[in-house]
Amino acid sequence: MHRVAVLALDGVVPFELGIPARIFGAALAPSGEPLYDIATCSLDGRPVRAHADFSITVEHDASLLASADTVVIPPSHALDTLRNGGALPDDLRAALASVRPGTRLVAICTGAFVLAAAGLLDRRPATTHWGEADLLRRLFTGVRVDPDVLYVDDGDVLTSAGVTAGIDLCLHLVRRDHGSGVAGQVARLCVTPPWRDGGQAQYIPRPVPEDRPGGLAATRAWALERLGDPLTLADLAAHAGLSVRTFTRNFRAETGVSPGQWLAGQRLDLARRLLEATDLPVDTVARRAGFGTGTALRQRFRASLGVPPQAYRRTFRPTAA
């Protein structure tokens, strides 16, 4: 039987800690026999403080890792030293060193920082919670961070985005190990979709930066009121009273992006708000947001967010579905 060891560190997030036992524990053979043996350990076998108002008692210490086929590391809020560029604690490094070669390593959410600090993600693709992806990239430059996906399967090392993306990853592992039939049955038992469209991009907020006074702020405000119109670079430059070349240079200096990139981003944000807050048909949303046609809007959503507009609406406005 495939043995899964879950490593609970001080400050562990209880929700993510429980995902492996819930998903793998629901995977059964046709005979009804469990397909996985799941056990949880701490570094020293003692209770760990959860990132909540309680502690968690475990039955094993880190010696469990040496006999595991899969090791799962949920996120912990006690390892702030890693987020500040510090090294792994000696006992954690020793525990990871005891894992047998070929053992499958799985990190949920910011558990990826543990694998990265141990050098186990060097030159590998990985992901983590979108809010921590830039930090992971800065601290561990050898990791190929993809902030948009729900999980990354790199064979013997797998990482997921935050919170419920850990469910997606564990279901993926069941599907990989035993096929879509078993994974689908697990999903039904756990009342969760067996597969989710898109990635993290659709969940990442896009705060509107504060405009500097003066400069081109008036032109940007003017454009925001006319996103449904076919605005051109010449239109924007004319409003600002500048040549196209000077306008483009000044615009990039103020915003960090080209006028075309800024306009496309503002139109996408407007379309997202309309899908979330109204029941307007997709073609109407496309026209109001300046995409012209529903086809153009669908292409932009697929390219930028990984999902079509209707799937995005179902996620963020379920009553309209």
Side-chain angles (χ1 to χ4, degrees):
M1 186 184 299
H2 189 105
R3 191 169 202 195
V4 178
V6 184
L7 178 59
L9 301 171
D10 269 339
V12 68
V13 182
F15 183 92
E16 285 91 324
L17 175 64
I19 290 173
R22 191 68 187 92
I23 298 299
F24 294 123
L28 304 176
S31 63
E33 294 297 315
L35 294 170
Y36 297 91
D37 174 29
I38 310 101
T40 305
C41 67
S42 64
L43 290 174
D44 56 9
R46 297 177 181 175
V48 295
R49 293 174 292 106
H51 186 62
D53 61 342
F54 55 84
S55 295
I56 296 171
T57 300
V58 299
E59 300 294 331
H60 307 277
D61 61 23
S63 63
L64 178 74
L65 304 183
S67 61
D69 302 300
T70 293
V71 171
V72 183
I73 302 177
S76 166
H77 286 271
L79 292 176
D80 287 341
T81 53
L82 297 184
R83 301 181 78 262
N84 295 321
L88 281 179
D90 290 341
D91 53 354
L92 179 51
R93 183 174 294 278
L96 294 175
S98 72
V99 176
R100 296 173 301 170
T103 299
R104 191 162 59 187
L105 298 173
V106 178
I108 298 175
C109 192
T110 54
F113 281 77
V114 174
L115 295 185
L120 298 171
L121 294 181
D122 289 349
R123 296 180 297 280
R124 285 182 177 266
T127 194
T128 189
H129 190 287
W130 60 262
E132 302 286 348
D134 285 343
L135 179 61
L136 182 65
R137 183 185 290 113
R138 291 198 305 270
L139 290 179
F140 306 102
T141 56
V143 183
R144 305 203 306 271
V145 180
D146 186 345
D148 293 333
V149 297
L150 293 176
Y151 57 82
V152 170
D153 180 345
D154 195 38
D156 59 339
V157 178
L158 301 94
T159 51
S160 85
V163 196
T164 57
I167 297 175
D168 296 297
L169 177 53
C170 289
L171 280 172
H172 166 73
L173 284 170
V174 173
R175 189 181 304 111
R176 194 176 100 172
D177 292 344
H178 300 286
S180 58
V182 174
Q185 179 63 19
V186 170
R188 284 190 289 272
L189 288 170
C190 296
V191 198
T192 188
W195 180 271
R196 279 199 290 169
D197 289 331
Q200 293 194 80
Q202 59 184 312
Y203 300 98
I204 301 175
R206 288 171 49 94
V208 178
E210 294 183 5
D211 273 325
R212 300 177 184 176
L216 300 176
T219 297
R220 289 194 291 274
W222 175 83
L224 287 174
E225 296 177 356
R226 295 164 176 79
L227 291 176
D229 298 339
L231 296 174
T232 65
L233 181 57
D235 294 332
L236 298 172
H239 181 273
L242 300 172
S243 69
V244 168
R245 183 175 181 179
T246 301
F247 174 80
T248 301
R249 181 176 65 251
N250 291 353
F251 194 99
R252 185 181 287 277
E254 288 188 19
T255 66
V257 296
S258 71
Q261 290 171 321
W262 179 86
L263 194 59
Q266 296 301 323
R267 283 172 167 158
L268 182 63
D269 286 346
L270 175 57
R272 290 173 69 166
R273 293 196 299 272
L274 291 173
L275 289 168
E276 293 175 14
T278 75
D279 296 325
L280 293 172
V282 169
D283 286 346
T284 303
V285 171
R287 289 193 298 273
R288 291 196 180 184
F291 289 94
T293 66
T295 299
L297 179 62
R298 292 181 187 96
Q299 290 173 345
R300 183 54 192 264
F301 259 65
R302 281 286 190 187
S304 298
L305 305 180
V307 294
Q310 288 288 27
Y312 181 88
R313 170 172 272 166
R314 285 194 298 270
T315 299
F316 293 97
R317 187 176 169 79
T319 55

